[in-house]
Each structure stands twice: as structure tokens, then as C-alpha cells.
Amino acid sequence: MEKAIAYIRVSSDRQVQDGTSLVTQERRVKEYAATKDYDLLRIFVEEGETAKTDRRTELQAMLAFSKQHKGRIQVLIFPKIDRFARYIEDYYSLKATLRNSGMRVESADESFDDTPAGRFMETVLAGQAQFDNDLRAERSKGGMREAVLQGRWVWAAPVGYRNVRVNNKATIEPDPDKAPKIVEAFNLLASGRRPLDVRVWLREHGVLVGRSRFFTMFRSKAYLGIIEAFGVVQQGAPPFLPLVSESVFRRAQEAFRPARPRNGYQYDNPDFPLRGTLRCYCGSLLTASWSSGRQKRYPYYRCKSCPRVNLPLNAAHGAWLCALQQTASECLLPLKDEADFLVSAQQETQALREQVRNMERTIERFREIQKNIVLKNAEGVTPDTLARQQISELEDKIVETELEIDRLSVDDVNIQEAAQFARNFLTNICSIWEKANLSTKKHIQRFFFPKGGTVVSDPLCRTAKKADLTGSASSPGARLSSVGYHSDEAPHMLSRGYAQCIRELYREFGK
Ligand SMILES: [Zn+2]
């Protein structure tokens, strides 16, 4: 018969409501020892609040006892992992200490065997205990916000980082194993590799990320060492360090832009900046090339499917500038009256704040559900694989919601300053576009025409004249209609409101 000891801990505030009273815990470990046929030698009972290992006298006594009886006791039973250790490091170090005395640990209410799934659950539960504890600590001090101002990351660590404690305060640091792989993934994305290839690359290097999480994680400014929360933008303090530079981060974002065509390289030609933006009336993106004349070569945008759509470059660019100007003028209209604009911006801001609060509540609910899944799994109701999948799906939703909260953040931009910038930018949009380098040109194109712009042949359009003025060869008139812009996808003006659009414009181009 194997010999066992047990360790239980009571904290007075929660005893009654959730069945962690001394009696319940004692009964559980006794029942457990009986079903396992262990000889239960002694139960160590810790009474008091503290979760810190070194201040728990009974825990120390238990460790001394097991050392003293080294080789004669095989098992330590605790009712639940969170009764045993509050910090994930503590949990594993206590486990290691006991292993040195020839002992293993077992939880009466949670089952985790020595299989990959079992070890996963063990980590989740130990992590959950730590998370609860961190949260309690942070909240009791009145200060997640305070923590952010100190440059600490107090949520679950993004992939590539790990949660740590410095002077007993929670933050994150680069994970020595995963961080280099995340850095390489950023570099691959920045150099134009397709996101899905990069995801495969990560998997091959032992970093597993769920699909939707993969598509959101690279937008997290955590990788720049930046915390954005509670309307505060704060540079992280060591050991929370950035993993990538701003330029790599920005270029990696491009890889996720929906308008980017699959074989992106052929669109990166400075002669034809509108490739990837202009669409034929049949819906295809226009391609472009030089065609040989008798003495000279002429640049054209063409449709692969429609042989008759053959648009001289100057005509196309003229038409484009016309459409851009028109869209920018529409954006400019509500800015004309500054006082009016500021009043409506304020109303919009309040609505956005309410929206952010709702999303924060949603996140809390997701966390609550995650916790329930873990408990249900521990009780054996939900199988491990399902629990694991549900937890990671919820984590994805949480990250997406957090990112959306970031995007909606209204306090990092001075709205008057943004309006000032936008007025100037929108008024001069055509010359700004003409003078810009290729990547800025494409950035502008995507901002105003996220789904591209369709070329419609129209000999009466005034853009034909404009095209003539810019010196094109025989130009069939062309007009652009901004299909993407006014459709359900119009992300800048309609779905988030006008003031938010001005802020985004400022964030994207103003800095
Ligand atoms: Zn076509």
C-alpha cells in the first residue's frame, strides 16, 4: 500500500460559497485516498490568507516532513491545484522538491495524468490559479491601470512572451524558446511571405497557433513593446521588451491586407501603381504592361479576361485622380465647419466609449466561460481535446475583441489636431499621391478604396479631358466608380463613424 500525505488550505472569505471549507476539503482528500487505496498518514492544514509559498508554515512543515521521511511516502494529495500553489513557478518548483523526496503530486478534484493532454490540463489549471491570484492582487491595489502606467503587461502573455513576476508584480518577458521564432515569423511576413506559409513555418518550428488567432496576433502592438489599454499608450518597462522594430512590424501588417493579391510581387512596379486597385467592369483586377508602337513603347492597363479593355496609363491615372479627389472632397465636407464637427465628434466619441465598455464586458464573459470549461473538464464532463479547442477558440475571440478595442481607442489622438491634418491632407490628396513613393501610393489607394475601384468607360466624363491634359495618347474616356468605398465594407466612413475615420487617417498618414 502506498503512503500518502495531504495538504489543504482555507481562506476564510470563500469557504462557504464554493465548497472550499476545511471540512469539505478534508473529506475530499480522505475519499480520494480511500478510492486510490492509499494509506493517508497525515493532513497538513494551512489556515490564513497568504498565497505566498515562503509564508505558509504548514507548507514548509509538510516539505520538511516529506524530506525527513524520504523514500517512505509516495504521494502528496491536494484537493485542487489552486489550494496548493498560487503561482505557476511555485507549482512546478514544489513539485520538483517533492520529486526529490521520491514523491508525486495528485489532485483530488482535477485529473491530469502523465499524457500530453494531462500535462496540458495541469498547466492550464496552474496558470488559472496564477491568473486568479494576479487579478486579485492587481484589482485589490486598485490598479490594472496603475500597472499599465508602470509599463507592465498584466494579461495572459502574447505568443512569444511569458508571464513572469518581478518584485512580485506581474508582467511579461520574451520567452527564450518562442520569441526568436516569432521574430523570424515577423521577418518572413515583412519580406512578403504569405501568412499561411508563415503559419506552417511556425508549426514546423513547434509554435502552434490557432487560425484566427494567427491572423490577429501579428497586429498586437505588444510586439513593439507597447501597451495600449484604458486609453493609455505606454512603452513597456523591462523585462517586457519589444521583439520587432517598427518598420518590420509595419511591413508585416501589409502581408495581412485583404486587397493584396496572391502573387503580390508582380504588382510592385512603380510604373503601374494602380495595379491591384483598378478593376475591370467584369470584376477582375487590371493588369498592366508596355506595348510596342512603331517608334515608342506605350504603357497600358488591361483586363486579362476582356481583350477590348485597354486603358492608356495616363487616362487611367487621370481618371484615378479624379475619383480620388471626389472621394476626398466628400470626406472633407463635414470638416468644413469646425465647431459643428467637434460637437458631433464628441457625441460619436461617447458612443464609441460605450461600445468599448460593452466589448470589455464581453471579454470578461469569455474569461468566465473559459474558467467554466476548465472546471467542467476537471470534473470529467468535457473531454480534454474539446476543452482545449474551446479554450483556444475563446482566446482567439478575446484577442480579436481586444484588437477591436485598440482600433476604437479614441484617446490617443487629439481630435482638433487630427482634423487640422485631415483638412490639409484631403485638400491636397492628388498632389500627395502623385509625389508619394510606391508603397505610400498603395497605402492611400487601400485607405480610400479598400476593395478597389472599377473603371467604367464613359466618353462624356470630364476625366477624358483631364487625361488629355496630362498628355496621353488617344484616350478613351474613363471614369472610376468607387465600388468598394460605398459598399457594406466601407470601413472608414460609415461603420465606425466620421470622427473615427479622421482619427484613423491621422494615425495612418499623420505620423
Ligand atoms: Zn474584364
Short mmCIF file of all heavy atoms in Angstrom, two decimals, residues 204-262:
data_model
loop_
_atom_site.label_atom_id
_atom_site.label_comp_id
_atom_site.label_asym_id
_atom_site.label_seq_id
_atom_site.Cartn_x
_atom_site.Cartn_y
_atom_site.Cartn_z
N GLU A 204 6.00 24.08 -37.99
CA GLU A 204 7.16 23.21 -38.15
C GLU A 204 8.23 23.50 -37.10
O GLU A 204 9.06 22.65 -36.80
CB GLU A 204 7.77 23.40 -39.56
CG GLU A 204 7.00 22.65 -40.63
CD GLU A 204 7.38 23.11 -42.03
OE1 GLU A 204 8.22 24.03 -42.15
OE2 GLU A 204 6.82 22.56 -43.00
N HIS A 205 8.21 24.71 -36.56
CA HIS A 205 9.19 25.06 -35.53
C HIS A 205 8.59 25.01 -34.14
O HIS A 205 9.09 25.65 -33.21
CB HIS A 205 9.81 26.42 -35.83
CG HIS A 205 10.73 26.37 -37.02
ND1 HIS A 205 10.26 26.35 -38.32
CD2 HIS A 205 12.08 26.29 -37.11
CE1 HIS A 205 11.28 26.28 -39.15
NE2 HIS A 205 12.39 26.23 -38.46
N GLY A 206 7.49 24.29 -34.02
CA GLY A 206 6.96 23.99 -32.70
C GLY A 206 6.11 25.09 -32.07
O GLY A 206 5.82 25.03 -30.89
N VAL A 207 5.70 26.08 -32.86
CA VAL A 207 4.81 27.10 -32.30
C VAL A 207 3.44 26.94 -32.94
O VAL A 207 3.24 27.25 -34.11
CB VAL A 207 5.34 28.53 -32.55
CG1 VAL A 207 4.42 29.56 -31.89
CG2 VAL A 207 6.76 28.67 -32.02
N LEU A 208 2.49 26.41 -32.16
CA LEU A 208 1.16 26.16 -32.69
C LEU A 208 0.25 27.34 -32.36
O LEU A 208 0.15 27.73 -31.21
CB LEU A 208 0.57 24.89 -32.06
CG LEU A 208 1.29 23.59 -32.44
CD1 LEU A 208 0.84 22.47 -31.55
CD2 LEU A 208 1.03 23.26 -33.90
N VAL A 209 -0.38 27.88 -33.40
CA VAL A 209 -1.30 28.99 -33.18
C VAL A 209 -2.57 28.72 -33.96
O VAL A 209 -2.51 28.34 -35.13
CB VAL A 209 -0.70 30.33 -33.69
CG1 VAL A 209 -1.58 31.49 -33.29
CG2 VAL A 209 0.71 30.52 -33.17
N GLY A 210 -3.71 28.90 -33.30
CA GLY A 210 -4.99 28.70 -33.97
C GLY A 210 -5.13 29.65 -35.15
O GLY A 210 -4.50 30.70 -35.18
N ARG A 211 -5.98 29.27 -36.13
CA ARG A 211 -6.02 30.02 -37.36
C ARG A 211 -6.41 31.48 -37.14
O ARG A 211 -5.72 32.39 -37.56
CB ARG A 211 -7.02 29.36 -38.32
CG ARG A 211 -6.92 29.91 -39.72
CD ARG A 211 -7.83 29.12 -40.66
NE ARG A 211 -7.60 29.54 -42.03
CZ ARG A 211 -8.06 30.67 -42.54
NH1 ARG A 211 -8.78 31.47 -41.79
NH2 ARG A 211 -7.81 31.01 -43.79
N SER A 212 -7.54 31.69 -36.44
CA SER A 212 -7.99 33.08 -36.33
C SER A 212 -7.06 33.87 -35.41
O SER A 212 -6.84 35.05 -35.61
CB SER A 212 -9.43 33.13 -35.84
OG SER A 212 -9.52 32.64 -34.54
N ARG A 213 -6.49 33.19 -34.45
CA ARG A 213 -5.55 33.88 -33.58
C ARG A 213 -4.32 34.31 -34.37
O ARG A 213 -3.78 35.39 -34.20
CB ARG A 213 -5.12 32.97 -32.43
CG ARG A 213 -4.24 33.72 -31.49
CD ARG A 213 -4.07 32.98 -30.20
NE ARG A 213 -3.54 33.88 -29.21
CZ ARG A 213 -3.05 33.48 -28.08
NH1 ARG A 213 -3.05 32.22 -27.76
NH2 ARG A 213 -2.58 34.35 -27.23
N PHE A 214 -3.91 33.40 -35.27
CA PHE A 214 -2.74 33.73 -36.09
C PHE A 214 -2.97 35.03 -36.85
O PHE A 214 -2.09 35.87 -36.95
CB PHE A 214 -2.46 32.59 -37.07
CG PHE A 214 -1.34 32.89 -38.01
CD1 PHE A 214 -0.03 32.69 -37.60
CD2 PHE A 214 -1.57 33.41 -39.27
CE1 PHE A 214 1.02 32.98 -38.45
CE2 PHE A 214 -0.53 33.71 -40.13
CZ PHE A 214 0.76 33.49 -39.71
N PHE A 215 -4.20 35.19 -37.38
CA PHE A 215 -4.47 36.37 -38.19
C PHE A 215 -4.58 37.64 -37.37
O PHE A 215 -4.57 38.73 -37.91
CB PHE A 215 -5.72 36.17 -39.05
CG PHE A 215 -5.41 35.38 -40.29
CD1 PHE A 215 -5.56 34.01 -40.31
CD2 PHE A 215 -4.91 36.01 -41.42
CE1 PHE A 215 -5.24 33.28 -41.44
CE2 PHE A 215 -4.59 35.29 -42.55
CZ PHE A 215 -4.75 33.92 -42.56
N THR A 216 -4.73 37.51 -36.06
CA THR A 216 -4.83 38.73 -35.25
C THR A 216 -3.57 39.02 -34.45
O THR A 216 -3.26 40.16 -34.19
CB THR A 216 -6.02 38.63 -34.27
OG1 THR A 216 -5.91 37.41 -33.54
CG2 THR A 216 -7.33 38.66 -35.02
N MET A 217 -2.83 37.98 -34.10
CA MET A 217 -1.75 38.21 -33.14
C MET A 217 -0.67 39.16 -33.67
O MET A 217 -0.11 39.94 -32.91
CB MET A 217 -1.11 36.89 -32.70
CG MET A 217 -0.48 36.11 -33.83
SD MET A 217 0.22 34.55 -33.27
CE MET A 217 1.92 35.02 -32.93
N PHE A 218 -0.41 39.12 -34.98
CA PHE A 218 0.67 39.95 -35.51
C PHE A 218 0.32 41.44 -35.52
O PHE A 218 1.16 42.26 -35.81
CB PHE A 218 1.08 39.47 -36.90
CG PHE A 218 1.83 38.17 -36.84
CD1 PHE A 218 1.16 36.97 -37.02
CD2 PHE A 218 3.18 38.14 -36.55
CE1 PHE A 218 1.84 35.76 -36.93
CE2 PHE A 218 3.86 36.94 -36.46
CZ PHE A 218 3.19 35.75 -36.65
N ARG A 219 -0.93 41.74 -35.23
CA ARG A 219 -1.30 43.16 -35.14
C ARG A 219 -1.12 43.70 -33.74
O ARG A 219 -1.27 44.87 -33.50
CB ARG A 219 -2.75 43.36 -35.57
CG ARG A 219 -2.89 43.25 -37.07
CD ARG A 219 -4.29 43.66 -37.47
NE ARG A 219 -4.81 42.70 -38.43
CZ ARG A 219 -6.05 42.23 -38.42
NH1 ARG A 219 -6.89 42.63 -37.51
NH2 ARG A 219 -6.43 41.37 -39.32
N SER A 220 -0.81 42.82 -32.81
CA SER A 220 -0.70 43.27 -31.43
C SER A 220 0.56 44.11 -31.24
O SER A 220 1.67 43.68 -31.54
CB SER A 220 -0.66 42.06 -30.50
OG SER A 220 -0.26 42.50 -29.22
N LYS A 221 0.36 45.32 -30.73
CA LYS A 221 1.49 46.21 -30.54
C LYS A 221 2.38 45.76 -29.38
O LYS A 221 3.42 46.35 -29.12
CB LYS A 221 1.00 47.64 -30.32
CG LYS A 221 0.42 48.22 -31.59
CD LYS A 221 0.46 49.73 -31.61
CE LYS A 221 -0.07 50.22 -32.94
NZ LYS A 221 -0.68 51.53 -32.82
N ALA A 222 1.94 44.72 -28.69
CA ALA A 222 2.80 44.15 -27.65
C ALA A 222 4.17 43.82 -28.22
O ALA A 222 5.18 43.96 -27.55
CB ALA A 222 2.16 42.90 -27.07
N TYR A 223 4.18 43.39 -29.50
CA TYR A 223 5.46 43.00 -30.10
C TYR A 223 6.37 44.20 -30.34
O TYR A 223 7.55 44.05 -30.61
CB TYR A 223 5.22 42.23 -31.40
CG TYR A 223 4.52 40.91 -31.16
CD1 TYR A 223 3.24 40.67 -31.63
CD2 TYR A 223 5.14 39.93 -30.40
CE1 TYR A 223 2.60 39.47 -31.37
CE2 TYR A 223 4.51 38.72 -30.14
CZ TYR A 223 3.24 38.50 -30.62
OH TYR A 223 2.61 37.32 -30.37
N LEU A 224 5.78 45.41 -30.24
CA LEU A 224 6.60 46.62 -30.28
C LEU A 224 6.95 47.08 -28.88
O LEU A 224 7.51 48.16 -28.68
CB LEU A 224 5.84 47.74 -31.00
CG LEU A 224 5.62 47.56 -32.50
CD1 LEU A 224 4.63 48.59 -33.01
CD2 LEU A 224 6.94 47.68 -33.24
N GLY A 225 6.56 46.27 -27.90
CA GLY A 225 6.80 46.65 -26.51
C GLY A 225 5.85 47.74 -26.05
O GLY A 225 6.16 48.50 -25.14
N ILE A 226 4.66 47.79 -26.70
CA ILE A 226 3.72 48.88 -26.37
C ILE A 226 2.45 48.30 -25.74
O ILE A 226 1.94 47.27 -26.19
CB ILE A 226 3.36 49.67 -27.63
CG1 ILE A 226 4.57 50.50 -28.07
CG2 ILE A 226 2.17 50.58 -27.38
CD1 ILE A 226 4.40 51.17 -29.42
N ILE A 227 2.00 48.95 -24.70
CA ILE A 227 0.74 48.57 -24.08
C ILE A 227 -0.28 49.64 -24.40
O ILE A 227 -0.02 50.82 -24.17
CB ILE A 227 0.87 48.47 -22.55
CG1 ILE A 227 2.09 47.64 -22.17
CG2 ILE A 227 -0.39 47.89 -21.94
CD1 ILE A 227 2.47 47.80 -20.71
N GLU A 228 -1.41 49.22 -24.96
CA GLU A 228 -2.49 50.17 -25.20
C GLU A 228 -3.71 49.69 -24.45
O GLU A 228 -4.29 48.68 -24.82
CB GLU A 228 -2.81 50.27 -26.69
CG GLU A 228 -1.79 51.05 -27.48
CD GLU A 228 -2.18 51.14 -28.96
OE1 GLU A 228 -2.71 50.16 -29.50
OE2 GLU A 228 -1.97 52.19 -29.54
N ALA A 229 -4.06 50.38 -23.41
CA ALA A 229 -5.24 49.98 -22.65
C ALA A 229 -5.70 51.15 -21.81
O ALA A 229 -4.90 52.04 -21.47
CB ALA A 229 -4.91 48.80 -21.74
N PHE A 230 -6.98 51.16 -21.48
CA PHE A 230 -7.56 52.21 -20.66
C PHE A 230 -7.25 53.59 -21.23
O PHE A 230 -7.06 54.55 -20.49
CB PHE A 230 -7.06 52.14 -19.21
CG PHE A 230 -7.04 50.74 -18.65
CD1 PHE A 230 -5.85 50.12 -18.33
CD2 PHE A 230 -8.24 50.05 -18.48
CE1 PHE A 230 -5.84 48.84 -17.83
CE2 PHE A 230 -8.23 48.76 -17.98
CZ PHE A 230 -7.03 48.15 -17.66
N GLY A 231 -7.16 53.67 -22.55
CA GLY A 231 -6.88 54.96 -23.16
C GLY A 231 -5.46 55.44 -22.93
O GLY A 231 -5.14 56.60 -23.12
N VAL A 232 -4.59 54.54 -22.52
CA VAL A 232 -3.20 54.90 -22.28
C VAL A 232 -2.33 54.16 -23.28
O VAL A 232 -2.58 53.01 -23.58
CB VAL A 232 -2.77 54.48 -20.85
CG1 VAL A 232 -1.32 54.84 -20.60
CG2 VAL A 232 -3.68 55.13 -19.83
N VAL A 233 -1.34 54.86 -23.83
CA VAL A 233 -0.34 54.18 -24.65
C VAL A 233 0.96 54.25 -23.89
O VAL A 233 1.48 55.34 -23.62
CB VAL A 233 -0.17 54.85 -26.02
CG1 VAL A 233 0.85 54.09 -26.85
CG2 VAL A 233 -1.50 54.91 -26.75
N GLN A 234 1.48 53.11 -23.51
CA GLN A 234 2.62 53.10 -22.60
C GLN A 234 3.70 52.18 -23.15
O GLN A 234 3.43 51.07 -23.59
CB GLN A 234 2.14 52.60 -21.23
CG GLN A 234 3.21 52.49 -20.19
CD GLN A 234 3.75 53.86 -19.78
OE1 GLN A 234 2.99 54.80 -19.62
NE2 GLN A 234 5.06 53.96 -19.65
N GLN A 235 4.92 52.67 -23.14
CA GLN A 235 6.04 51.81 -23.50
C GLN A 235 6.27 50.83 -22.36
O GLN A 235 6.29 51.22 -21.20
CB GLN A 235 7.29 52.68 -23.73
CG GLN A 235 8.46 51.93 -24.35
CD GLN A 235 8.20 51.54 -25.81
OE1 GLN A 235 7.65 52.31 -26.57
NE2 GLN A 235 8.57 50.32 -26.18
N GLY A 236 6.43 49.56 -22.69
CA GLY A 236 6.66 48.56 -21.66
C GLY A 236 7.99 48.79 -20.95
O GLY A 236 8.93 49.32 -21.52
N ALA A 237 8.02 48.38 -19.69
CA ALA A 237 9.27 48.50 -18.93
C ALA A 237 9.93 47.13 -18.87
O ALA A 237 9.24 46.12 -18.83
CB ALA A 237 8.96 49.00 -17.53
N PRO A 238 11.28 47.07 -18.87
CA PRO A 238 11.95 45.77 -18.77
C PRO A 238 11.43 44.99 -17.57
O PRO A 238 11.11 45.61 -16.57
CB PRO A 238 13.41 46.14 -18.58
CG PRO A 238 13.53 47.54 -19.10
CD PRO A 238 12.20 48.19 -18.89
N PRO A 239 11.30 43.68 -17.69
CA PRO A 239 11.79 42.82 -18.78
C PRO A 239 10.85 42.72 -19.99
O PRO A 239 11.13 41.94 -20.87
CB PRO A 239 11.88 41.45 -18.09
CG PRO A 239 10.77 41.47 -17.10
CD PRO A 239 10.69 42.89 -16.59
N PHE A 240 9.76 43.51 -20.01
CA PHE A 240 8.85 43.48 -21.16
C PHE A 240 9.48 44.32 -22.27
O PHE A 240 9.40 45.53 -22.27
CB PHE A 240 7.48 44.01 -20.74
CG PHE A 240 6.52 44.22 -21.88
CD1 PHE A 240 6.63 43.50 -23.07
CD2 PHE A 240 5.46 45.12 -21.75
CE1 PHE A 240 5.73 43.70 -24.11
CE2 PHE A 240 4.56 45.32 -22.78
CZ PHE A 240 4.70 44.61 -23.96
N LEU A 241 10.14 43.64 -23.21
CA LEU A 241 10.88 44.33 -24.26
C LEU A 241 10.24 44.06 -25.61
O LEU A 241 9.60 43.03 -25.80
CB LEU A 241 12.33 43.83 -24.28
CG LEU A 241 13.12 44.12 -23.01
CD1 LEU A 241 14.41 43.33 -22.99
CD2 LEU A 241 13.39 45.61 -22.88
N PRO A 242 10.39 45.01 -26.57
CA PRO A 242 9.84 44.75 -27.91
C PRO A 242 10.57 43.60 -28.59
O PRO A 242 11.76 43.37 -28.34
CB PRO A 242 10.08 46.07 -28.65
CG PRO A 242 11.11 46.80 -27.88
CD PRO A 242 11.03 46.33 -26.47
N LEU A 243 9.86 42.89 -29.46
CA LEU A 243 10.50 41.81 -30.22
C LEU A 243 10.90 42.27 -31.61
O LEU A 243 11.83 41.73 -32.20
CB LEU A 243 9.57 40.60 -30.34
CG LEU A 243 9.28 39.80 -29.07
CD1 LEU A 243 8.51 38.53 -29.42
CD2 LEU A 243 10.55 39.45 -28.33
N VAL A 244 10.17 43.25 -32.15
CA VAL A 244 10.48 43.68 -33.52
C VAL A 244 10.53 45.20 -33.60
O VAL A 244 9.99 45.90 -32.75
CB VAL A 244 9.44 43.16 -34.54
CG1 VAL A 244 9.49 41.66 -34.65
CG2 VAL A 244 8.05 43.64 -34.19
N SER A 245 11.18 45.70 -34.66
CA SER A 245 11.26 47.13 -34.87
C SER A 245 9.96 47.59 -35.53
O SER A 245 9.22 46.81 -36.11
CB SER A 245 12.43 47.49 -35.78
OG SER A 245 12.13 47.06 -37.09
N GLU A 246 9.74 48.90 -35.44
CA GLU A 246 8.51 49.45 -36.00
C GLU A 246 8.42 49.20 -37.50
O GLU A 246 7.37 48.90 -38.03
CB GLU A 246 8.46 50.95 -35.72
CG GLU A 246 7.14 51.56 -36.08
CD GLU A 246 6.65 52.52 -35.00
OE1 GLU A 246 7.28 52.59 -33.93
OE2 GLU A 246 5.65 53.19 -35.24
N SER A 247 9.55 49.28 -38.22
CA SER A 247 9.47 49.13 -39.67
C SER A 247 9.15 47.69 -40.05
O SER A 247 8.36 47.44 -40.97
CB SER A 247 10.77 49.61 -40.33
OG SER A 247 11.78 48.66 -40.16
N VAL A 248 9.73 46.73 -39.34
CA VAL A 248 9.39 45.33 -39.60
C VAL A 248 7.91 45.09 -39.28
O VAL A 248 7.18 44.45 -40.04
CB VAL A 248 10.28 44.38 -38.77
CG1 VAL A 248 9.74 42.96 -38.81
CG2 VAL A 248 11.70 44.41 -39.30
N PHE A 249 7.47 45.65 -38.17
CA PHE A 249 6.08 45.49 -37.76
C PHE A 249 5.14 46.02 -38.83
O PHE A 249 4.21 45.36 -39.26
CB PHE A 249 5.86 46.24 -36.44
CG PHE A 249 4.48 46.07 -35.86
CD1 PHE A 249 4.17 44.97 -35.08
CD2 PHE A 249 3.50 47.03 -36.09
CE1 PHE A 249 2.90 44.81 -34.54
CE2 PHE A 249 2.23 46.88 -35.55
CZ PHE A 249 1.94 45.77 -34.78
N ARG A 250 5.42 47.23 -39.32
CA ARG A 250 4.57 47.84 -40.34
C ARG A 250 4.54 47.02 -41.61
O ARG A 250 3.51 46.80 -42.20
CB ARG A 250 5.05 49.26 -40.67
CG ARG A 250 4.42 50.28 -39.78
CD ARG A 250 4.82 51.69 -40.17
NE ARG A 250 4.26 52.63 -39.22
CZ ARG A 250 3.01 53.06 -39.27
NH1 ARG A 250 2.21 52.67 -40.24
NH2 ARG A 250 2.54 53.89 -38.35
N ARG A 251 5.74 46.56 -42.03
CA ARG A 251 5.77 45.78 -43.27
C ARG A 251 5.05 44.45 -43.11
O ARG A 251 4.40 43.98 -44.04
CB ARG A 251 7.22 45.59 -43.73
CG ARG A 251 7.71 46.77 -44.59
CD ARG A 251 9.09 46.55 -45.11
NE ARG A 251 10.07 46.67 -44.04
CZ ARG A 251 11.07 45.82 -43.85
NH1 ARG A 251 11.23 44.79 -44.64
NH2 ARG A 251 11.91 46.00 -42.85
N ALA A 252 5.13 43.87 -41.91
CA ALA A 252 4.43 42.61 -41.68
C ALA A 252 2.92 42.80 -41.79
O ALA A 252 2.20 41.91 -42.25
CB ALA A 252 4.80 42.05 -40.31
N GLN A 253 2.42 43.97 -41.37
CA GLN A 253 0.98 44.24 -41.46
C GLN A 253 0.50 44.14 -42.90
O GLN A 253 -0.60 43.69 -43.19
CB GLN A 253 0.62 45.63 -40.93
CG GLN A 253 1.08 45.92 -39.53
CD GLN A 253 0.68 44.84 -38.57
OE1 GLN A 253 -0.51 44.55 -38.42
NE2 GLN A 253 1.66 44.22 -37.94
N GLU A 254 1.35 44.59 -43.84
CA GLU A 254 0.98 44.58 -45.26
C GLU A 254 0.59 43.17 -45.72
O GLU A 254 -0.27 43.01 -46.57
CB GLU A 254 2.14 45.09 -46.12
CG GLU A 254 2.54 46.52 -45.83
CD GLU A 254 1.46 47.52 -46.22
OE1 GLU A 254 1.02 47.46 -47.37
OE2 GLU A 254 1.05 48.32 -45.35
N ALA A 255 1.26 42.18 -45.14
CA ALA A 255 1.00 40.80 -45.57
C ALA A 255 -0.43 40.37 -45.28
O ALA A 255 -0.94 39.44 -45.88
CB ALA A 255 1.97 39.85 -44.87
N PHE A 256 -1.09 41.08 -44.35
CA PHE A 256 -2.45 40.69 -43.97
C PHE A 256 -3.52 41.53 -44.65
O PHE A 256 -4.70 41.33 -44.42
CB PHE A 256 -2.62 40.80 -42.45
CG PHE A 256 -1.84 39.75 -41.72
CD1 PHE A 256 -0.60 40.04 -41.19
CD2 PHE A 256 -2.34 38.47 -41.58
CE1 PHE A 256 0.13 39.08 -40.53
CE2 PHE A 256 -1.62 37.50 -40.91
CZ PHE A 256 -0.38 37.80 -40.38
N ARG A 257 -3.09 42.51 -45.46
CA ARG A 257 -4.08 43.36 -46.11
C ARG A 257 -4.90 42.53 -47.09
O ARG A 257 -4.34 41.85 -47.94
CB ARG A 257 -3.39 44.48 -46.89
CG ARG A 257 -2.55 45.38 -46.01
CD ARG A 257 -3.38 46.51 -45.51
NE ARG A 257 -2.53 47.42 -44.73
CZ ARG A 257 -2.99 48.47 -44.09
NH1 ARG A 257 -4.26 48.73 -44.13
NH2 ARG A 257 -2.17 49.24 -43.41
N PRO A 258 -6.24 42.61 -46.99
CA PRO A 258 -7.07 41.78 -47.85
C PRO A 258 -6.92 42.12 -49.34
O PRO A 258 -7.06 41.26 -50.19
CB PRO A 258 -8.49 42.06 -47.37
CG PRO A 258 -8.40 43.34 -46.62
CD PRO A 258 -7.01 43.43 -46.07
N ALA A 259 -6.62 43.39 -49.66
CA ALA A 259 -6.56 43.78 -51.06
C ALA A 259 -5.31 43.25 -51.75
O ALA A 259 -5.22 43.27 -52.96
CB ALA A 259 -6.63 45.30 -51.19
N ARG A 260 -4.36 42.77 -50.97
CA ARG A 260 -3.12 42.31 -51.56
C ARG A 260 -3.37 41.05 -52.38
O ARG A 260 -3.87 40.06 -51.87
CB ARG A 260 -2.13 41.99 -50.45
CG ARG A 260 -0.73 41.72 -50.96
CD ARG A 260 0.12 41.27 -49.79
NE ARG A 260 1.42 40.89 -50.24
CZ ARG A 260 2.44 41.72 -50.29
NH1 ARG A 260 2.30 42.94 -49.90
NH2 ARG A 260 3.60 41.30 -50.72
N PRO A 261 -3.05 41.09 -53.64
CA PRO A 261 -3.29 39.91 -54.46
C PRO A 261 -2.33 38.79 -54.11
O PRO A 261 -1.29 39.03 -53.51
CB PRO A 261 -3.05 40.41 -55.88
CG PRO A 261 -2.25 41.64 -55.74
CD PRO A 261 -2.41 42.18 -54.37
N ARG A 262 -2.70 37.58 -54.51
CA ARG A 262 -1.93 36.43 -54.06
C ARG A 262 -0.48 36.49 -54.53
O ARG A 262 0.44 36.29 -53.79
CB ARG A 262 -2.61 35.14 -54.53
CG ARG A 262 -2.34 33.99 -53.58
CD ARG A 262 -3.23 32.81 -53.93
NE ARG A 262 -4.64 33.13 -53.73
CZ ARG A 262 -5.61 32.56 -54.43
NH1 ARG A 262 -5.34 31.69 -55.37
NH2 ARG A 262 -6.87 32.86 -54.18
#
